Amino acid sequence: MAKRTWSTIISCAIIIGAGAGGVFWIHQHSEKQLQGGPRLAVVAAQEAETKAAKTASDSNVKKTRKQIIEDSQKKVVTIESGIGLGSGFLYNDKGDVITNAHVVEGSKEVTVRTLNHEEYQGTVIGIGEETDVAVVRVPGLQKLTPLTIAKSKAETGDEVLALGSPLGLENTVTTGIISGVGRSFEIPPYIYSNLYQISAPITHGNSGGPLIHAETGEVLGINSAVVEQEGGIGFSIPITSVLKQVQAWSEKPNATTVVQTNSGGDKTASGASAEAEGLVTSFYLSLNESDYVTAYALLGSEWQSGTSYAKFREGYLNTSYVTISGISSSNHGNDEMEVTATITADERRDGEYVTTKYKVTYQLGYENGQLRILHGQGKKIK
């Protein structure tokens, strides 16, 4: 009996010792596994890291083309100046809009219209003399998020979107690719160098609108010219080539490039001359682009009353291209000016193109606050 009792006591001690040892081993092993912290905290931290990584991944998801278009349209505007309609786009938070110089030349103040048809007044704060680029400051658009400017040049084959108001059809978007690079030519007074050639259709009214990368939404260029006779080939100025000048105008507006007024409200002689010469140049630029509507709109009411639009357009249908040179102006008082120039016109006669030079003289004056070409005449130079 005593022997059986001692056996039982020894067995219980062994079991208790083994259990205590097991508990001690589990405690030590778990502490090492937990590395000094509760296992639940490690799991929670891992879950938080996973969630943060997923959030970061979601934020980097590329926008769809539709989203890029919708976001971009909010920052593209229609510009109405004294010579017609064009386009532009917001590029900083100061309310500064980039456009073409030929869209706003001859104007100090322009009307800017947004996607939701709100209208604001803008002031030309910088305009190129040879580079077809200008900046318009619109106080009403300050602090709005601008388009993102690309830091590198585009390459042939890149997919692009062209935004603007072709023929006054606002908020139009066309698609295409960069079909060529390094294109250069001259349309007096502007020199176009290293342009992008694009397949996205553009026409009159697209001028000044942005060329946008279809995948990133970044601005690649400024849509500026089209050759309609060759199947509608479009050209865009690379934004990287003009950005420094644009930023300089924004930092220090160049008042000497726009029409100035004195205390009496009249144009200064130098400003008026520049405006007059610019208007005549715009007239021929519009003809070169076959934009007869804009060219006709630059004529005074008396000239328009004596010549219908149809007759005016018919008179230039056989003129393919005009180069203007030797332009000068004189002030005749009473806000009237005379502009003279030599033009070289490529004209189609009997199925062939011939080049003819003319000496042209125009009288300009103001009608309802806008400068117009009142009368004109030309004489062939032999």
Side-chain angles (χ1 to χ4, degrees):
M1 179 70 180
K3 185 177 181 180
R4 184 179 305 168
T5 301
W6 280 108
S7 296
T8 302
I9 293 172
I10 292 172
S11 297
C12 290
I14 291 173
I15 293 172
I16 292 171
V23 170
F24 178 78
W25 182 86
I26 291 173
H27 176 74
Q28 292 294 323
H29 181 73
S30 297
E31 186 173 5
K32 290 180 181 179
Q33 291 294 318
L34 292 173
Q35 298 180 350
R39 191 63 181 171
L40 181 61
V42 176
V43 173
Q46 289 179 342
E47 290 178 349
E49 290 176 1
T50 302
K51 184 176 181 181
K54 184 177 184 302
T55 301
S57 176
D58 291 342
S59 66
N60 291 327
V61 173
K62 289 184 177 180
K63 292 182 179 180
T64 65
R65 181 166 299 186
K66 183 177 180 181
Q67 289 173 325
I68 289 175
I69 291 173
E70 289 178 346
D71 289 346
S72 300
Q73 282 182 319
K74 298 173 184 176
K75 301 150 189 176
V76 177
V77 300
T78 299
I79 298 176
E80 185 173 351
S81 67
I83 62 173
L85 294 176
S87 304
F89 59 93
L90 196 64
Y91 97 99
N92 66 16
D93 60 3
K94 296 180 180 179
D96 292 346
V97 170
I98 295 177
T99 186
N100 282 137
H102 76 257
V103 170
V104 298
E105 63 185 352
S107 299
K108 178 181 179 181
E109 304 292 332
V110 297
T111 299
V112 173
R113 190 160 47 252
T114 62
L115 175 66
N116 57 4
H117 302 292
E118 292 182 350
E119 291 191 353
Y120 301 92
Q121 291 302 304
T123 302
V124 180
I125 62 170
I127 186 169
E129 295 181 358
E130 293 184 349
T131 304
D132 193 7
V133 178
V135 175
V136 177
R137 177 155 293 175
V138 188
L141 299 182
Q142 287 182 4
K143 298 183 179 181
L144 293 183
T145 303
L147 286 173
T148 302
I149 305 298
K151 296 181 180 179
S152 58
K153 290 186 177 181
E155 298 178 348
T156 301
D158 286 348
E159 295 188 15
V160 294
L161 308 169
L163 281 71
S165 303
L167 303 177
L169 301 173
E170 300 179 9
N171 309 314
T172 296
V173 181
T174 56
T175 63
I177 63 169
I178 300 288
S179 53
V181 296
R183 309 305 194 207
S184 300
F185 50 83
E186 182 175 353
I187 303 178
Y190 304 112
I191 298 173
Y192 298 86
S193 302
N194 298 316
L195 303 182
Y196 297 136
Q197 179 181 323
I198 61 175
S199 66
I202 59 174
T203 188
H204 317 298
N206 273 116
S207 293
L211 183 71
I212 291 177
H213 196 294
E215 295 182 359
T216 67
E218 296 176 330
V219 177
L220 296 172
I222 308 163
N223 300 320
S224 303
V226 62
V227 182
E228 293 185 332
Q229 293 88 340
E230 302 298 331
I233 299 175
F235 298 94
S236 183
I237 299 173
I239 191 68
T240 54
S241 67
V242 297
L243 187 58
K244 287 185 178 180
Q245 177 62 78
V246 166
Q247 291 173 331
W249 283 328
S250 292
E251 292 298 324
K252 188 177 181 180
N254 192 348
T256 62
T257 62
V258 298
V259 179
Q260 300 296 305
T261 59
N262 57 27
S263 58
D266 297 327
K267 304 291 188 297
T268 63
S270 59
S273 295
E275 184 180 12
E277 294 171 16
L279 189 64
V280 171
T281 301
S282 297
F283 175 78
Y284 283 106
L285 180 62
S286 298
L287 293 178
N288 285 339
E289 294 181 345
S290 300
D291 186 2
Y292 306 113
V293 173
T294 296
Y296 187 72
L298 300 181
L299 305 182
S301 58
E302 185 177 344
W303 193 338
Q304 288 183 350
S305 64
T307 306
S308 67
Y309 168 72
K311 185 176 180 180
F312 171 82
R313 178 176 179 274
E314 183 181 355
Y316 287 100
L317 286 178
N318 290 323
T319 301
S320 64
Y321 195 81
V322 176
T323 301
I324 186 169
S325 61
I327 190 168
S328 62
S329 59
S330 57
N331 195 317
H332 287 192
N334 297 323
D335 287 336
E336 292 186 2
M337 287 147 286
E338 182 175 274
V339 175
T340 59
T342 299
I343 65 170
T344 303
D346 294 332
E347 301 171 311
R348 186 171 58 222
R349 296 178 185 173
D350 300 325
E352 296 182 354
Y353 282 99
V354 297
T355 300
T356 308
K357 283 190 174 183
Y358 296 90
K359 184 74 172 181
V360 295
T361 303
Y362 293 102
Q363 285 75 44
L364 289 80
Y366 290 91
E367 290 186 351
N368 299 320
Q370 297 290 335
L371 189 63
R372 291 289 181 262
I373 302 174
L374 306 180
H375 305 283
Q377 58 184 358
K379 182 178 180 181
K380 186 183 296 186
I381 301 175
K382 295 183 180 180

